């Protein structure tokens, strides 16, 4: 089971395969039948202690960023994620802590979540995917239905207001047209956050 792994100059933490969405493009949709040997599929979720125990193997001077990511939505385990982040803050205070998220933490928790992330999360990278709520519903298929898109934008706004760096992401053409990218940029401008256009990988 791979709990932490290195990608470029960052260490990634893989806590869960759970997610309230079922994005049409998600690797999870292919299931362990296709990715059966892929170690990012967790046969069970690691405990906080197990995740922390993997950290000393990494040279955090060489990899100064910790990213909560994986085949799943990290904020499904927000309290555990924050416990690990707190440990990292104490033991590796120079490390930047990023959470790659669908931005639905408030709906998952049933309560606002940004306040408890303040001081522990440096960057939220939030998948915006599209400027169109109806299209979002069609491609991300969140179990929360129409409530999801506005909740994701509110989460971004709250995080920005709390002083957390927020980057919203879309995938470049052909997934997201230049016109839609411009609309996404306008949304980000309104929220005061940055837009990152990720390269398309076929
Ligand atoms: S939000 Fe991420 S983990 Fe969840 S279904 Fe979509 S792509 Fe997969």
């Amino acid at each position: 089971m791979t709990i932490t792994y290195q990608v470029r100059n960052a260490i990634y933490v893989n806590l869960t395969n759970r997610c309230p969405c079922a994005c049409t493009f998600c690797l999870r949709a292919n299931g362990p039948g296709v990715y059966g040997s892929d170690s990012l599929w967790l046969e069970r979720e690691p405990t906080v202690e197990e995740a922390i125990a993997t950290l000393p193997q990494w040279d955090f001077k060489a990899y100064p960023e910790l990213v909560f990511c994986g085949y799943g939505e990290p904020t499904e385990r927000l309290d555990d994620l924050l416990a690990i982040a707190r440990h990292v803050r104490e033991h590796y205070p120079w490390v930047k802590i990023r959470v790659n998220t669908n931005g639905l933490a408030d709906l998952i928790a049933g309560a606002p979540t940004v306040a408890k992330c303040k001081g522990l999360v440096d960057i939220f990278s939030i998948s915006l995917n599209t400027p169109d709520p109806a299209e979002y519903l069609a491609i991300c298929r969140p179990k929360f239905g129409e409530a999801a898109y506005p909740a994701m934008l509110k989460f971004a706004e709250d995080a920005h207001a709390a002083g957390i760096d927020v980057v919203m992401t879309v995938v470049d053409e052909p997934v997201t047209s230049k016109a839609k990218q411009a609309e996404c940029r306008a949304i980000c401008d309104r929220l005061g956050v940055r837009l990152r256009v990720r390269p398309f990988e076929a």
Side-chain angles (χ1 to χ4, degrees):
M1 174 164 74
T2 301
I3 306 172
T4 51
Y5 56 102
Q6 177 226 331
V7 180
R8 290 181 288 276
N9 68 340
I11 301 303
Y12 280 57
V13 187
N14 179 31
L15 285 184
T16 184
N17 293 144
R18 285 181 281 149
C19 183
C21 296
C23 299
T24 50
F25 52 81
C26 183
L27 291 172
R28 290 161 70 247
N30 297 307
V34 175
Y35 290 90
S37 60
D38 192 321
S39 58
L40 286 185
W41 281 100
L42 299 163
E43 64 267 19
R44 65 172 176 82
E45 294 187 342
T47 64
V48 169
E49 291 71 26
E50 285 173 327
I52 287 174
T54 69
L55 298 178
Q57 72 181 293
W58 303 109
D59 175 4
F60 282 104
K61 291 286 185 195
Y63 309 118
E65 188 173 29
L66 191 81
V67 184
F68 290 90
C69 193
Y71 291 172
E73 169 50 41
T75 64
E76 282 277 359
R77 296 187 61 191
L78 184 59
D79 288 340
D80 291 343
L81 180 164
L82 294 175
I84 297 164
R86 194 170 291 109
H87 176 93
V88 170
R89 275 282 189 266
E90 284 170 13
H91 293 81
Y92 315 96
W94 63 89
V95 169
K96 269 205 177 318
I97 298 175
R98 168 157 59 101
V99 179
N100 289 358
T101 177
N102 57 25
L104 302 181
D106 293 358
L107 293 180
I108 293 168
T113 54
V114 164
K116 60 181 171 182
C117 300
K118 194 174 173 178
L120 293 173
V121 176
D122 294 304
I123 307 171
F124 277 118
S125 177
I126 304 174
S127 307
L128 176 57
N129 290 310
T130 169
D132 177 359
E135 186 181 37
Y136 178 86
L137 211 51
I139 60 177
C140 295
R141 301 182 290 185
K143 73 177 187 187
F144 306 111
E146 288 178 1
Y149 193 80
M152 178 257 295
L153 296 184
K154 175 80 166 63
F155 180 82
E157 193 172 24
D158 288 355
H160 172 66
I164 300 171
D165 193 11
V166 177
V167 182
M168 304 200 86
T169 64
V170 294
V171 177
D172 204 353
E173 289 186 313
V175 174
T176 314
S177 68
K178 293 295 180 201
K180 282 188 177 168
Q181 289 177 32
E183 289 180 57
C184 288
R185 202 171 298 285
I187 290 171
C188 290
D189 287 349
R190 181 165 54 75
L191 298 174
V193 305
R194 291 184 285 140
L195 178 73
R196 184 166 94 84
V197 179
R198 294 164 45 213
F200 171 72
E201 289 163 20

